Amino acid sequence: IKNNREYRGVILRINSPGGSVLASDRIYSAIKRLKSSGKKVYTSMGAIATSGGYYVAANSDQIFANYTSITGSIGVLSSLTSFSTLGDELGISNTHLKTGKYIGMYSALTPLNHDEETMIRQYQDRFYQAFVQKVRSNRYLNNKEAYIVAQGQILSGDQAKRFKLIDQVGGVY
């Protein structure tokens, strides 16, 4: 599409609650490449375009959402499960042979220690700040406006319009 002169732009339909930072950032970058080739990118939000779904949309020339579309959820979540207490209660032992201090830190069989939790929080905050900056610059918000909508809350299409996260309330047509 980027190199084909027959296409003047792309309508991107997003119906996603989000996902990995990596996947969202790769799609965001692809949209950036399309735009740099002179193509317009319009996003139409389906029932849901939150978190990574909104991250992708933020780079569009125009964003449309239905009145009832769920959007926002600007933030970064790290979810780790620990079965260590259950293992202790069941008498299950666990041995780790590691080649580095932090190898195995995502194991569900051992709880995070303070250093590991701090490291994950720093990593998470780095991507959160980058996400907020992308929203801020692409949606022409000041810092205060950006951080007001970047607390993980979800918004309807009309609320998103009031907070300048979308351009118009409307569907794909």
Side-chain angles (χ1 to χ4, degrees):
I1 293 171
K2 183 178 94 172
N3 297 321
N4 189 328
R5 292 180 186 254
E6 291 183 33
Y7 297 107
R8 294 189 343 219
V10 172
I11 297 174
L12 179 65
R13 180 72 167 170
I14 298 175
N15 196 29
S16 171
S20 81
V21 174
L22 176 61
S24 300
D25 195 59
R26 290 188 71 183
I27 298 169
Y28 179 95
S29 296
I31 292 169
K32 188 174 184 178
R33 289 191 303 276
L34 267 176
K35 287 173 59 178
S36 70
S37 73
K39 308 292 183 189
K40 292 288 184 188
V41 178
Y42 290 178
T43 290
S44 169
M45 294 181 171
I48 187 167
T50 55
S51 192
Y54 186 78
Y55 186 112
V56 169
N59 199 17
S60 302
D61 292 299
Q62 293 273 316
I63 302 173
F64 300 82
N66 293 305
Y67 179 79
T68 57
S69 295
I70 299 170
T71 191
S73 190
I74 298 167
V76 179
L77 172 70
S78 295
S79 181
L80 302 145
T81 302
S82 175
F83 295 110
S84 61
T85 305
L86 179 63
D88 292 342
E89 288 176 11
L90 296 175
I92 299 170
S93 64
N94 180 35
T95 302
H96 283 199
L97 303 174
K98 304 195 265 183
T99 58
K101 181 178 178 180
Y102 299 106
I103 300 297
M105 116 173 117
Y106 286 96
S107 170
L109 301 175
T110 56
L112 292 176
N113 65 38
H114 177 72
D115 289 345
E116 293 167 337
E117 187 175 325
T118 299
M119 184 186 304
I120 291 170
R121 285 186 187 279
Q122 289 171 346
Y123 173 85
Q124 185 175 347
D125 189 58
R126 188 170 129 226
F127 287 105
Y128 171 69
Q129 297 304 329
F131 189 177
V132 173
Q133 175 56 32
K134 283 174 171 53
V135 171
R136 191 173 95 35
S137 64
N138 285 295
R139 302 305 304 161
Y140 307 104
L141 304 174
N142 62 40
N143 271 340
K144 183 179 180 183
E145 291 170 320
Y147 282 101
I148 284 172
V149 295
Q151 299 303 311
Q153 68 271 42
I154 58 172
L155 305 165
S156 64
D158 64 321
Q159 289 172 320
K161 172 101 169 78
R162 279 190 301 236
F163 285 109
K164 300 190 255 181
L165 293 181
I166 68 165
D167 296 292
Q168 293 184 45
V169 174
V172 70
Y173 300 106

